[in-house]
Amino acid sequence: MKRRVFSNSTVNAGRFVLIEIFDALNSLELKSLEEPLYLFGQFFQKPLECLTLAYYLPQNAGAIARKYIQDPQLLSFIDAECFIVSTVNALQTPMINAAMVLCDRHFGGINYPLGGVGGIAKSLAKGLVDQGSEIAYKANVTSIIIEQGKAVGVRLSNGREFFAKTIISNATRWDTFGKLLKDIPLPKEEENFQKVYVKAPSFLSIHMGVKAEVLPPDTDCHHFVLESNWSKLEEPYGSIFLSIPTVLDSSLAPEGRHILHIFTTSSVEDWEGLSRADYEAKKQLVADEITSRLENKLFPGLRSSIDFMEVGTPKTHRRYLARDEGTYGPMPRRIPKGLLGMPFNTTGIDGLYCVGDSCFPGQGVIAVAFSGVMCAHRVAADIGLEKKSPVLDSMLLRLLGWLRTMA
């Protein structure tokens, strides 16, 4: 693709909006947006920042970009940047999400956990155990137990049951309300959510071990490959994500080797109805095609340098991550009104909360982590560990429900 020069004034205007939102987020103590005492406290301390976020809450990145930019190539590039975040183009990506992720790439530099990202999960698990929690591994939850309209526990595939005052589901909204809740009518807010959002596609993933000499000495850790046609951005297999963690941490692979994690969007329908032999053959065929594209664009000789390769499909994601159709979160059916349509952590079932990428503020590691912080705060208020006002709670939840109907 030819290099293009863009006007500094247009680029700087867009940059200002991103930084304005990011600075507003960074200035606030981020807790549950469903807790009115917290919201009032933050507003009185930081009124301008709160109003800034409220202004951009119903807006999308693409619409704002088009206020300042007319160049179709630059707009397509912004579409690609948003697709990396949300698997949809800029017109369908909430502005707050875009600002949160795009600015965080540069704020304070890039940080990578030595030993691999699995260390983050291990640290979180250790913190839970250190605080007196118990983590049950290989415990497949098959249903949420409801008594008198309230969520009171969960049932595992081996028949074992656990009971608690609070049940938090990290499954997608589709799995939570379509599979884990048995014989319970779908709450109205979930009906509205599913009218606005559909399941985003899954991914085909390739984990590859290669000889180190195939990578040039100055190879970067992350790559996004989109051949010459912008129109293929959102098509299955149209664009390729590539991460090479051993560029930053050589301890992850044997000496003289690198790890490549390659993934591209794919739908589960593309892999259904195949025999075992046909399924394995198709995995190899698609992996070979993607390897050839990477050879042509980045790493000549890649195929001959491969020591190890493992391919996972949307069916793999569905099986091991227990996500309906292997989905990676919600995707708007049409151009949304920013984040207005996203549900928060509380649900229409008393005692049941949801957390993760199908809750506000959506997809991406940062957004999902924020969802967890929000949920923890809302639960803490509901069980008496934080101050709360039942009257204000009821008013705010009704207001948020009404706002979501506008999406």
Side-chain angles (χ1 to χ4, degrees):
M1 186 177 294
K2 295 180 180 179
R3 177 176 294 178
R4 300 177 66 87
V5 178
F6 303 108
S7 163
N8 281 337
S9 61
T10 61
V11 173
N12 286 336
R15 183 186 299 134
F16 172 78
V17 174
L18 289 169
I19 293 173
E20 181 185 23
I21 296 171
F22 188 74
D23 285 347
L25 287 167
N26 261 0
S27 72
L28 302 176
E29 182 184 12
L30 296 179
K31 290 186 176 181
S32 176
L33 301 185
E34 295 181 284
E35 209 295 292
L37 295 182
Y38 153 75
L39 287 179
F40 286 134
Q42 291 297 299
F43 182 80
F44 288 126
Q45 294 176 40
K46 303 277 186 177
L48 292 179
E49 289 82 353
C50 290
L51 291 172
T52 294
L53 295 178
Y55 174 74
Y56 287 110
L57 182 69
Q59 300 192 57
N60 299 317
I64 291 176
R66 282 159 175 76
K67 290 181 180 179
Y68 305 103
I69 300 167
Q70 285 75 45
D71 189 283
Q73 286 283 74
L74 182 52
L75 290 171
S76 293
F77 176 77
I78 293 171
D79 277 337
E81 287 277 28
C82 289
F83 180 79
I84 293 171
V85 174
S86 60
T87 67
V88 290
N89 60 42
L91 283 170
Q92 293 182 294
T93 300
M95 187 61 206
I96 288 180
N97 269 28
M100 190 188 308
V101 177
L102 298 181
C103 290
D104 190 70
R105 292 180 188 171
H106 309 285
F107 183 82
I110 300 299
N111 299 292
Y112 185 85
L114 292 176
V117 294
I120 298 174
K122 291 177 182 177
S123 295
L124 289 170
K126 182 179 183 300
L128 288 168
V129 172
D130 289 347
Q131 294 298 316
S133 299
E134 178 184 349
I135 301 175
Y137 294 98
K138 297 183 179 179
N140 180 29
V141 175
T142 56
S143 62
I144 296 170
I145 302 170
I146 303 292
E147 292 182 358
Q148 298 179 341
K150 176 178 171 61
V152 296
V154 296
R155 184 176 294 110
L156 307 187
S157 56
N158 62 8
R160 192 177 179 189
E161 296 180 343
F162 292 87
F163 293 89
K165 294 179 180 178
T166 298
I167 308 300
I168 303 172
S169 173
N170 189 37
T172 70
R173 309 292 286 216
W174 293 278
D175 287 289
T176 300
F177 291 94
K179 297 178 181 178
L180 299 180
L181 286 166
K182 312 290 186 183
D183 303 319
I184 299 293
L186 191 65
K188 185 64 178 177
E189 63 180 29
E190 297 304 319
E191 285 186 21
N192 294 336
F193 168 71
Q194 294 185 24
K195 288 177 182 176
V196 177
Y197 292 92
V198 296
K199 285 165 278 193
S202 187
F203 288 93
L204 178 120
S205 300
I206 304 172
H207 289 87
M208 190 181 289
V210 302
K211 295 180 177 65
E213 56 264 26
V214 77
L215 271 61
D218 60 347
T219 298
D220 290 318
C221 176
H222 297 293
H223 301 259
F224 180 71
V225 179
L226 177 65
E227 284 92 345
S228 57
N229 192 346
W230 289 107
S231 66
K232 293 185 178 180
L233 173 67
E234 299 178 72
E235 292 181 8
Y237 317 112
S239 51
I240 302 172
F241 300 80
L242 169 63
S243 176
I244 314 173
T246 42
V247 167
L248 300 177
D249 184 1
S250 61
S251 71
L252 295 173
E255 186 175 354
R257 300 292 186 272
H258 276 295
I259 295 172
L260 275 62
H261 179 208
I262 307 156
F263 51 108
T264 181
T265 55
S266 178
S267 65
V268 74
E269 291 84 3
D270 202 24
W271 298 90
E272 299 280 31
L274 300 175
S275 67
R276 168 54 65 179
D278 289 343
Y279 178 71
E280 293 298 332
K282 182 168 183 173
K283 285 203 300 184
Q284 188 62 52
L285 176 64
V286 175
D288 287 345
E289 291 174 350
I290 290 173
T291 301
S292 295
R293 290 166 65 186
L294 293 177
E295 272 193 316
N296 292 334
K297 285 293 180 182
L298 293 174
F299 308 126
L302 175 62
R303 187 184 307 278
S304 62
S305 76
I306 298 172
D307 283 342
F308 171 85
M309 184 170 69
E310 190 170 57
V311 182
T313 73
K315 292 179 71 173
T316 314
H317 291 269
R318 180 176 65 187
R319 177 181 179 185
Y320 290 102
L321 300 180
R323 298 177 69 89
D324 194 21
E325 298 182 5
T327 182
Y328 269 67
M331 184 171 70
R333 293 179 183 271
R334 53 189 178 274
I335 296 176
K337 293 185 178 178
L339 285 168
L340 280 185
M342 287 294 289
F344 290 91
N345 302 113
T346 59
T347 72
I349 307 294
D350 187 25
L352 176 63
Y353 302 79
C354 283
V355 69
D357 54 21
S358 52
C359 300
F360 178 94
Q363 294 169 303
V365 173
I366 299 169
V368 170
F370 181 22
S371 169
V373 172
M374 291 171 61
C375 188
H377 179 225
R378 180 64 259 182
V379 170
D382 288 341
I383 64 176
L385 298 179
E386 294 268 359
K387 291 181 179 179
K388 64 176 290 187
S389 167
V391 174
L392 292 177
D393 276 357
S394 178
M395 294 171 60
L396 178 61
L397 291 176
R398 284 199 297 270
L399 174 62
L400 291 174
W402 174 75
L403 288 173
R404 283 195 286 273
T405 64
M406 298 173 61

